[in-house]
Amino acid sequence: IYISAPDAINSLEDYRDWLALLIRHEYTHTAHLDQARGLPAALRRLFFGRQAFSFPHLFQPLWLIEGLAIDQETNHALGVGRGQSDYYAMQMRAEVERGLVSLGRVSGLNRDWPGGQAYLYGAYFYPFLRETYGERAVELWLKSYSYNLIPFWMNPTARRVWGEDFSKVWRRYQAWLSARYPVLSPSSAPSQLLTDLGGPTYSGVLHENHLYRIESDGHSIARLIQQDLTTKSVTTITSVAYPGPFSVS
């Protein structure tokens, strides 16, 4: 949890009151993951107490968990939250252009670029549900999933609530994203590929024809590098234990 507000573009910059947005997001997790009905609620209440297996919503893909919190942090009228941000829309448009990932891929905590795909794909899933299956689609999913004692009981829950397997819902979601974020005409401005290593998206800093950026591919220790934009040469300045914003000085 970042107590201090962001001071650079990192997807969290659309806020009015930073702590209000932060608490709304994290409290959504509390209210969401605490839900239990039927047998899980009975086991919690009568036999075993608040053990992990009595929390059905813990056992679902991360993108469903984070997506709901992003959905609740977002306010389109106030311009608040990641669900309405141009930064997220830009990343999703790039996903559509490259080819949207499969349900299994996004559910598996991959290391693909952009880092945090679970957040990105989860952010738009709940608006998609309301538009496609009706205003109560999210509410019905949450209530129905609260009865599940079997972890990751996705398809039976989807069939109960929406009448379709989750794989078919995902295909509908991909079509919805493709229609909402169509590929734009290529820019006339020249482009330059800086890296093919992928990893998280940390904002770089330009200074005297050099780009300073943090390179973190998820396999090795992150490093701060200096990249000459003329010769394309890369120099490692130092390893970085905790990647984040930095100043060139």
Side-chain angles (χ1 to χ4, degrees):
I1 295 176
Y2 302 108
I3 297 300
S4 58
D7 58 2
I9 294 175
N10 67 350
S11 82
L12 295 170
E13 62 278 352
D14 285 354
Y15 64 91
R16 287 201 170 188
D17 182 300
W18 171 245
L19 288 181
L21 183 143
L22 178 73
I23 292 169
R24 187 175 182 88
H25 180 102
E26 300 303 338
Y27 183 72
T28 297
H29 287 322
T30 302
H32 174 200
L33 300 178
D34 193 59
Q35 293 181 74
R37 293 175 171 83
L39 186 55
L43 291 175
R44 186 191 296 182
R45 185 172 60 253
L46 301 176
F47 299 104
F48 301 106
R50 295 170 63 82
Q51 301 297 324
F53 56 80
S54 67
F55 289 80
H57 286 275
L58 280 176
F59 300 102
Q60 59 182 311
L62 180 65
W63 62 268
L64 278 170
I65 296 172
E66 293 297 345
L68 184 64
I70 291 174
D71 182 65
Q72 293 301 303
E73 83 184 30
T74 298
N75 186 315
H76 289 269
L78 296 178
V80 168
R82 282 167 280 191
Q84 58 76 55
S85 74
D86 291 337
Y87 185 79
Y88 254 41
M90 174 191 70
Q91 291 193 65
M92 183 51 74
R93 198 179 300 276
E95 289 290 291
V96 170
E97 183 173 4
R98 182 185 64 178
L100 295 167
V101 301
S102 67
L103 177 58
R105 188 75 182 169
V106 76
S107 299
L109 298 179
N110 64 65
R111 290 171 170 171
D112 295 346
W113 188 93
Q117 273 188 342
Y119 290 76
L120 180 62
Y121 279 83
Y124 298 107
F125 185 70
Y126 291 93
F128 153 77
L129 287 182
R130 295 189 192 96
E131 287 189 22
T132 306
Y133 297 98
E135 282 298 319
R136 295 194 64 208
V138 176
E139 175 192 351
L140 294 174
W141 168 263
L142 296 175
K143 284 186 176 180
S144 186
Y145 204 91
S146 299
Y147 288 93
N148 291 342
L149 192 60
I150 300 175
F152 300 98
W153 200 237
M154 306 288 289
N155 277 333
T157 309
R159 286 194 294 267
R160 271 199 314 268
V161 177
W162 306 316
E164 299 177 314
D165 283 350
F166 211 98
S167 57
K168 187 170 184 179
V169 174
W170 187 259
R171 289 194 294 271
R172 289 186 186 275
Y173 180 41
Q174 289 180 315
W176 183 86
L177 287 171
S178 297
R180 181 166 177 166
Y181 297 103
V183 177
L184 301 178
S185 300
S187 171
S188 59
S191 61
Q192 178 181 336
L193 183 66
L194 298 176
T195 178
D196 57 4
L197 289 178
T201 51
Y202 300 109
S203 298
V205 178
L206 283 170
H207 181 69
E208 296 180 351
N209 201 44
H210 289 87
L211 175 66
Y212 296 82
R213 60 183 178 82
I214 292 173
E215 195 166 81
S216 176
D217 62 5
H219 296 275
S220 55
I221 297 174
R223 59 185 185 137
L224 177 64
I225 64 171
Q226 179 196 65
Q227 191 162 6
D228 190 302
L229 297 182
T230 302
T231 65
K232 313 298 191 298
S233 61
V234 173
T235 303
T236 299
I237 297 175
T238 184
S239 60
V240 181
Y242 301 101
F246 60 92
S247 173
V248 177
S249 64

